[in-house]
């Protein structure tokens, strides 16, 4: 019997990994997402019933759940060197000359894309992924195995049989551009500055503590080099091709070149085509193909003599800096923008470039009237690289950074350790006020889609709304006075405003736009404090009691409620009938049963999603925290919980309870999210 279960688990794991491979490596899925989820659920169920058959390479490990507080430092078996960079045809010819002189016999190159991500080394033993380590300083890196296991295109178990018993394969982890754009959109929603580029975002994601968050980020990975003590292949090209048959995602664009001329054609082709790729590359890597010749050429202190990278030139032009203007963002942050004489760059006309902040202006010593070099790099907005001093006119004007807000006239402030100046006039500064109202009506906040940003601007300019609460006193006759506002749109708008009064408290809390309060934090606070008055009177210590709320967020909440202007807004929202407390139904499900207790939730559960379980903890007055410490009251253990966590809980004597034990703690009137009740027996 148990043999057949074991067999079933193995067979399901094999099927699931096959589907992962088809979807993420070959981009040719053969079943629906629904069917896939069913297979995975079945596997998780069987592994739960028979934990003795749960393997480290099971595809159920890809959903994440393990939290790493500190990444272990690991010494690389083969040092992780970097490549010498070249930027010109001439440099590349010099490289080729050096190679030719050293190798008397013939040789060929392999040309590859230079992925702009984070280098990773993956170790496999007997076909199973055992360790993933970042580059670090080249000698030692961080063990990020748990996070890497969530990347679906990286095989946990290899295909075929002809791979070496133990080997390392290296490649680049990256974030596809589309995913990057989505992350930045989310950050914008909670008033966080955007991440600079996909590379930084990938590096940040890989070092996140909660692997279930990493799993949702959709990182991807191309592999480009195999290392082993006795590789059965004679060349780099052959081993990468073999790695492809073992299930790795390797690049189809890899190409052999027997002359430097062919290398140039490869470079030129990808310099133009790179904009069509779904990820960023910053150049091309050229490697001598034969391992024997690689060994002969050897290494310098830092990099191999048998390989080099050619970095694409960011396209540059020079143009005149006509003036500088200053933009004010929703959070009051000031960005200086260069107004340029329009010029064509990489296929688009550039009129403006970001100057970032006062320090950058000073460092560039850029003056109005200067001719400046503008470049389009990985970032979308072009930037000014340098000044062409030979063209500086005598009357070029030194930039006097503004001292007052261009929108409202308030004196700007600059906090120590912050690069940007900002306008402190939160309450009256037009772009800040309008920005806050736009956030308030947003889809994930009060969802008043009949009120767009243009109408907000119109209403604000007409003096009809000054803050989010004013939206609730709009009258039809006022609306009809606005340009382009007909009877029907006015009725729609008011209906939308009215409907928003039913939006639950946790979303209202997100909508009012307290700095650093995103959707998740808003939910936590709502269930913990239950109404806005309790939240308003919470002390710093009490706020810090709520799981995952840090100093910055707690202070931001205190500051918000300390401002009398905000108190007026809250009162007005209350009078208008906006939900400032949990609903009756939500309260019925809430209790104080878990007050004073803190829980760590880990693994996958049957009756709850992990998020719902955390919500249930908070709804019942408990605290859900990320990592185990001596203070943790309970570890709620689900399927596939990380062994490290289990060990730590045992070491610290933290009681380990199951999902069912947890439900029992809430009996006799268990409070579950979404109004569900557990059947009493
Ligand atoms: S080979 C001994 N191939 O570039 C050198 N590296 O500066 C082994 N990179 O740390 C590296 N694409 O993160 C190689 N096709 C490619 C690459 C590549 C990107 C990165 C890698 C490395 C850095 C070298």
């Amino acid at each position: 019997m148990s043999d057949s279960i074991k067999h079933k688990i193995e067979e399901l794991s094999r099927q699931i990994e096959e589907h992962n491979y088809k979807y993420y490596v070959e981009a040719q899925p053969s079943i629906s997402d629904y069917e896939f989820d069913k297979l995975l659920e079945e596997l998780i169920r069987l592994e739960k019933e028979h934990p003795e058959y749960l393997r480290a390479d099971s595809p159920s490990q890809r959903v994440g759940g393990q939290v790493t507080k500190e990444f272990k430092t690991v010494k690389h078996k083969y040092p992780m060197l970097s490549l010498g960079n070249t930027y010109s045809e001439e440099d590349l010819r010099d490289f080729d000359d050096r190679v030719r002189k050293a190798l008397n016999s013939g040789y060929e190159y392999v040309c590859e894309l230079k992925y702009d991500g984070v280098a990773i080394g993956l170790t496999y033993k007997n076909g199973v992924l055992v360790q993933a380590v970042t580059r670090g300083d080249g000698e030692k890196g961080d063990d990020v195995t748990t996070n890497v296991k969530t990347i679906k295109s990286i095989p946990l178990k290899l295909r075929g049989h002809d791979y070496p018993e133990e080997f390392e394969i290296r490649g680049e982890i990256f974030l596809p551009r589309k995913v990057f754009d989505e992350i930045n959109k989310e950050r914008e929603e909670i008033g966080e500055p955007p991440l600079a580029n996909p590379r930084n975002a990938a590096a940040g994601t890989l070092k996140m503590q909660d692997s279930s968050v990493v799993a949702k980020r959709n990182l991807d990975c191309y592999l480009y080099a195999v290392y082993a003590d006795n590789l059965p292949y004679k060349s780099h090209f052959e081993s990468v091709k073999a790695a492809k048959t073992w299930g790795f995602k390797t690049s189809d664009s890899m190409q052999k070149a027997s002359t430097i001329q062919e290398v140039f054609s490869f470079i030129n082709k990808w310099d133009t085509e790179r904009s069509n790729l779904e990820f960023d590359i910053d150049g091309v890597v050229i490697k001598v193909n034969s391992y024997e010749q690689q060994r002969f050429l050897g290494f310098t202190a830092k990099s191999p003599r048998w390989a080099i990278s050619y970095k694409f030139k960011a396209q540059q032009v020079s143009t005149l800096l006509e003036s500088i203007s200053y933009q004010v963002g929703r959070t009051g942050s000031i960005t200086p923008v260069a107004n340029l004489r329009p010029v064509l760059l990489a296929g688009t006309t550039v009129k403006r470039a970001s100057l970032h902040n006062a320090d950058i202006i000073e460092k560039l010593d850029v003056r109005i009237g200067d001719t400046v070099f503008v470049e389009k790099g990985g970032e979308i907005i072009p930037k000014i690289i340098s000044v062409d001093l030979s063209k500086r006119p005598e009357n070029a004007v030194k930039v006097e950074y503004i001292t007052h807000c261009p929108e409202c006239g308030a004196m700007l402030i600059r906090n120590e350790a912050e690069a940007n100046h900002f306008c402190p006039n939160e309450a009256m500064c037009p772009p800040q006020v309008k920005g806050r109202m736009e956030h308030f009506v947003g889809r994930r906040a009060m969802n008043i889609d009949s009120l767009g940003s243009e109408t907000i601007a119109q209403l604000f300019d007409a003096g009809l709304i000054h803050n989010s609460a004013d939206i609730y006193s709009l009258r039809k006759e006022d609306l009809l006075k606005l340009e382009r506002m007909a009877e029907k749109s006015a009725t729609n708008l008011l209906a939308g405003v009215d409907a928003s009064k039913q939006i639950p408290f946790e979303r209202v809390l997100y909508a009012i736009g307290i700095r650093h309060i995103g959707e998740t934090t808003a939910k936590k606070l709502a269930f913990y404090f239950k109404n806005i008055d309790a939240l308003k009177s919470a002390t710093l210590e009490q706020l810090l009691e709520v799981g995952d709320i840090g100093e910055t967020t707690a202070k931001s909440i205190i500051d918000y409620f300390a401002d009398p202007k905000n108190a007026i807004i809250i009162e007005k929202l209350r009078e208008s009938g906006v939900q400032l407390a949990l609903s009756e139904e939500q309260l019925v499900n809430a209790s104080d049963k878990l007050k004073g207790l803190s829980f760590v939730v880990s693994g996958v559960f049957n009756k709850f999603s992990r998020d719902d379980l955390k919500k249930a903890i908070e709804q019942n007055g408990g605290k859900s925290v990320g990592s185990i410490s001596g203070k943790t009251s309970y570890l709620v253990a689900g399927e596939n919980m990380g062994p490290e966590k289990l060990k730590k809980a045992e070491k610290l004597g933290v009681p380990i309870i199951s999902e069912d034990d947890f439900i029992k703690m809430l009996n006799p009137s268990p409070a579950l999210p979404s109004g569900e009740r557990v059947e009493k027996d």
Side-chain angles (χ1 to χ4, degrees):
M1 166 69 187
S2 68
D3 250 14
S4 81
I5 301 267
K6 182 167 178 249
H7 181 75
K8 176 97 185 142
I9 288 181
E10 281 169 1
E11 179 54 21
L12 270 171
S13 301
R14 196 197 55 74
Q15 279 180 19
I16 292 168
E17 276 305 82
E18 182 67 25
H19 290 303
N20 266 333
Y21 178 77
K22 283 188 179 149
Y23 190 99
Y24 292 100
V25 180
E26 292 188 323
Q28 280 174 340
S30 60
I31 57 168
S32 69
D33 290 0
Y34 176 78
E35 288 166 307
F36 181 86
D37 288 347
K38 285 280 150 217
L39 291 176
L40 189 58
E41 268 170 30
E42 169 77 359
L43 175 66
I44 290 175
R45 190 183 62 77
L46 286 175
E47 285 176 345
K48 180 193 147 110
E49 283 166 14
H50 303 273
E52 66 275 22
Y53 299 136
L54 169 64
R55 297 171 48 128
D57 59 353
S58 165
S60 59
Q61 303 296 299
R62 293 197 186 277
V63 291
Q66 216 174 314
V67 174
T68 319
K69 198 76 194 153
E70 230 168 278
F71 296 99
K72 211 168 62 207
T73 309
V74 179
K75 192 168 175 339
H76 291 295
K77 181 167 179 194
Y78 311 95
M80 227 162 161
L81 301 175
S82 60
L83 292 167
N85 290 328
T86 56
Y87 296 90
S88 67
E89 236 184 80
E90 202 189 340
D91 286 352
L92 208 51
R93 280 190 201 282
D94 287 348
F95 166 78
D96 184 44
D97 285 346
R98 289 196 300 274
V99 171
R100 187 169 338 100
K101 263 185 211 141
L103 304 171
N104 292 319
S105 53
Y107 57 92
E108 65 181 355
Y109 291 119
V110 176
C111 304
E112 297 168 15
L113 303 182
K114 187 170 191 307
Y115 305 99
D116 197 7
V118 184
I120 194 82
L122 309 173
T123 302
Y124 286 79
K125 283 188 189 160
N126 300 313
V128 175
L129 171 66
V130 292
Q131 195 170 53
V133 183
T134 61
R135 176 162 183 269
D137 62 4
E139 288 290 324
K140 289 189 233 96
D142 287 331
D143 181 335
V144 288
T145 315
T146 322
N147 284 346
V148 164
K149 278 188 176 174
T150 67
I151 303 175
K152 319 282 192 309
S153 57
I154 292 183
L156 301 177
K157 191 172 175 349
L158 300 181
R159 306 160 74 84
H161 298 286
D162 61 344
Y163 40 78
E165 198 177 302
E166 180 172 345
F167 70 96
E168 184 176 338
I169 187 161
R170 291 192 179 156
E172 201 87 351
I173 292 180
F174 61 94
L175 198 66
R177 277 192 212 124
K178 214 174 98 203
V179 185
F180 171 73
D181 291 342
E182 284 162 12
I183 295 174
N184 267 352
K185 225 174 106 200
E186 266 172 39
R187 290 180 68 89
E188 204 183 309
E189 275 181 17
I190 59 166
E192 293 286 322
L195 301 172
N197 53 48
R199 186 190 346 102
N200 290 4
T205 304
L206 211 52
K207 295 299 254 326
M208 282 179 155
Q209 295 185 346
D210 186 345
S211 59
S212 59
V213 181
V214 183
K216 290 187 195 131
R217 283 264 172 115
N218 291 324
L219 290 168
D220 204 343
C221 181
Y222 272 114
L223 284 312
Y224 48 64
V226 186
Y227 296 75
D229 290 343
N230 285 310
L231 258 188
Y233 307 100
K234 286 193 160 48
S235 72
H236 168 65
F237 195 85
E238 271 177 275
S239 46
V240 174
K241 285 288 175 208
K244 189 181 163 91
T245 68
W246 307 333
F248 291 103
K249 184 160 171 165
T250 60
S251 173
D252 289 331
S253 48
M254 180 174 75
Q255 202 175 306
K256 286 187 195 170
S258 42
T259 64
I260 196 72
Q261 212 43 56
E262 283 175 38
V263 173
F264 289 135
S265 322
F266 184 86
I267 290 176
N268 292 336
K269 174 177 159 199
W270 286 103
D271 196 1
T272 17
E273 283 194 21
R274 67 182 154 131
S275 53
N276 301 326
L277 292 169
E278 284 170 2
F279 47 85
D280 284 350
I281 60 171
D282 60 347
V284 159
V285 180
I286 300 110
K287 300 173 181 169
V288 169
N289 191 19
S290 142
Y291 282 143
E292 198 185 332
Q293 290 176 331
Q294 286 188 4
R295 273 192 292 274
F296 184 77
L297 287 162
F299 298 84
T300 69
K302 279 192 311 200
S303 47
R305 289 202 186 84
W306 46 264
I308 200 148
S309 84
Y310 174 90
K311 292 272 203 112
F312 291 133
K313 277 190 244 350
Q315 285 162 304
Q316 267 194 10
V317 282
S318 74
T319 187
L320 190 75
L321 172 64
E322 295 180 331
S323 64
I324 292 178
S325 43
Y326 297 85
Q327 283 176 351
V328 188
R330 167 162 84 88
T331 52
S333 151
I334 309 285
T335 313
V337 176
N339 298 308
L340 306 166
R341 176 174 290 171
V343 61
L344 206 62
L345 174 62
T348 48
T349 305
V350 174
K351 294 186 207 130
R352 289 148 78 74
S354 173
L355 277 165
H356 305 284
N357 56 52
D359 290 344
I360 303 259
I361 295 181
E362 201 170 312
K363 207 163 125 210
L364 289 168
D365 182 28
V366 62
R367 305 185 187 182
I368 316 284
D370 266 339
T371 296
V372 292
F373 291 105
V374 182
E375 180 179 292
K376 232 178 186 179
E379 292 84 25
I380 318 294
I381 307 161
K383 58 179 178 201
I384 294 184
I385 298 304
S386 60
V387 175
D388 186 347
L389 287 175
S390 70
K391 292 201 177 136
R392 172 168 284 173
E394 280 195 5
N395 59 355
V397 184
K398 217 172 151 57
V399 179
E400 290 278 344
Y401 205 83
I402 50 166
T403 52
H404 291 77
C405 176
E407 300 277 350
C408 73
M411 179 129 99
L412 299 182
I413 53 178
R414 190 183 199 185
N415 292 333
E416 232 175 285
E418 269 185 39
N420 288 69
H421 285 72
F422 81 92
C423 167
N425 186 12
E426 261 175 72
M428 306 287 283
C429 180
Q432 296 190 58
V433 178
K434 283 189 269 187
R436 271 200 305 278
M437 288 194 272
E438 280 166 22
H439 170 78
F440 184 81
V441 303
R443 193 170 47 85
R444 309 181 77 101
M446 303 304 279
N447 194 23
I448 313 181
D449 59 0
S450 49
L451 188 51
S453 48
E454 256 179 59
T455 317
I456 288 182
Q458 265 185 315
L459 291 166
F460 177 79
D461 293 342
L464 289 167
I465 51 175
H466 306 97
N467 58 52
S468 311
D470 289 346
I471 292 173
Y472 293 93
S473 32
L474 284 170
R475 291 172 314 169
K476 199 178 212 172
E477 51 270 40
D478 295 329
L479 293 175
L480 290 173
K481 283 183 209 143
L482 297 180
E483 244 178 80
R484 295 190 304 276
M485 179 68 73
E487 173 78 27
K488 186 147 181 258
S489 358
T491 312
N492 269 349
L493 198 160
L494 292 177
V497 172
D498 213 40
S500 77
K501 294 177 188 167
Q502 304 312 319
I503 293 285
F505 175 47
E506 65 267 26
R507 275 172 63 185
V508 178
L509 203 49
Y510 167 64
I512 57 177
I514 306 174
R515 247 188 127 177
H516 304 296
I517 307 287
E519 282 177 270
T520 319
T521 315
K523 240 183 234 159
K524 275 198 178 153
L525 289 168
F527 287 119
Y528 192 91
F529 290 100
K530 309 200 171 52
N531 63 60
I532 201 129
D533 299 313
L535 176 63
K536 187 178 172 176
S537 49
T539 61
L540 191 74
E541 290 69 37
Q542 285 168 332
L543 288 167
L544 291 172
E545 277 293 299
V546 187
D548 290 339
I549 302 252
E551 266 314 283
T552 323
T553 312
K555 280 201 183 116
S556 162
I557 298 169
I558 303 259
D559 288 350
Y560 179 88
F561 288 108
D563 187 337
K565 292 185 217 77
N566 291 330
I568 297 172
I569 295 178
I570 301 290
E571 280 326 300
K572 216 170 152 195
L573 288 174
R574 193 193 308 272
E575 281 160 26
S576 313
V578 169
Q579 306 296 319
L580 296 180
L582 293 181
S583 67
E584 285 293 311
E585 196 190 328
Q586 284 173 318
L587 278 173
V588 167
N589 284 326
S591 81
D592 282 343
K593 289 202 179 78
L594 307 179
K595 202 170 174 135
L597 299 177
S598 74
F599 294 80
V600 170
V601 172
S602 178
V604 180
F605 299 90
N606 279 333
K607 298 183 179 138
F608 294 93
S609 74
R610 200 167 31 235
D611 282 348
D612 281 348
L613 187 53
K614 289 183 184 169
K615 203 162 137 187
I617 292 171
E618 279 146 18
Q619 253 182 303
N620 289 285
K623 183 167 154 184
S624 145
V625 293
S627 59
I628 301 177
S629 73
K631 285 195 222 145
T632 310
S633 319
Y634 294 98
L635 166 66
V636 192
E639 300 316 304
N640 307 322
M641 193 188 64
E644 291 294 320
K645 204 163 247 181
L646 206 60
K647 247 193 259 160
K648 190 154 181 200
E650 278 164 1
K651 199 172 132 209
L652 295 172
V654 173
I656 302 164
I657 60 170
S658 69
E659 173 179 27
D660 289 333
D661 297 334
F662 174 76
I663 292 169
K664 278 189 204 129
M665 286 177 99
L666 299 177
N667 266 337
S669 59
L672 292 182
S674 65
E676 276 171 65
R677 291 298 185 107
V678 177
E679 292 294 331
K680 279 185 220 149
D681 40 23

